[in-house]
Amino acid sequence: MARRIRFRDIYFIENESDASIIETLLEERHIHCMVHGAAPIALFDARSGERRIAVEEEMYHAAREVIADAITRGIISKRGRFCD
């Protein structure tokens, strides 16, 4: 029986370069992620060009630490935001 993989949104960011860096950092730590295009949080809050990053649910906390560390170290900008 196949295991169902559940992804959870973790981070929103407009900068495509930062999204790519986050994707690379997560993959280096064997954290699978998906990066999607514009992701409206609500109908009144749609943002063009925004990237949504989602990770496997069980890796959420580890991924959050990777992203927070990248922000602290200046590897990515502070312009993004965590989903929760």
Side-chain angles (χ1 to χ4, degrees):
M1 184 172 175
R3 179 176 78 100
R4 186 173 199 193
I5 298 172
R6 298 187 70 170
F7 281 85
R8 178 176 173 189
D9 290 339
I10 188 170
Y11 202 68
F12 294 106
I13 193 161
E14 289 187 23
N15 185 310
E16 192 169 330
S17 295
D18 281 351
S20 179
I21 291 169
I22 291 169
E23 184 176 21
T24 299
L25 291 171
L26 293 173
E27 288 178 357
E28 285 176 352
R29 287 160 183 83
H30 305 287
I31 300 172
H32 301 288
C33 67
M34 294 188 308
V35 179
H36 298 279
I41 296 170
L43 292 176
F44 61 86
D45 193 26
R47 294 184 170 101
S48 63
E50 187 170 73
R51 303 285 182 260
R52 178 181 68 196
I53 299 172
V55 296
E56 291 183 45
E57 200 166 67
E58 66 248 9
M59 299 303 291
Y60 181 86
H61 295 290
R64 187 178 175 99
E65 288 178 13
V66 169
I67 296 169
D69 182 59
I71 294 167
T72 301
R73 293 174 49 202
I75 296 171
I76 60 172
S77 70
K78 297 179 181 182
R79 291 197 215 172
R81 67 190 188 289
F82 287 99
C83 296
D84 49 84

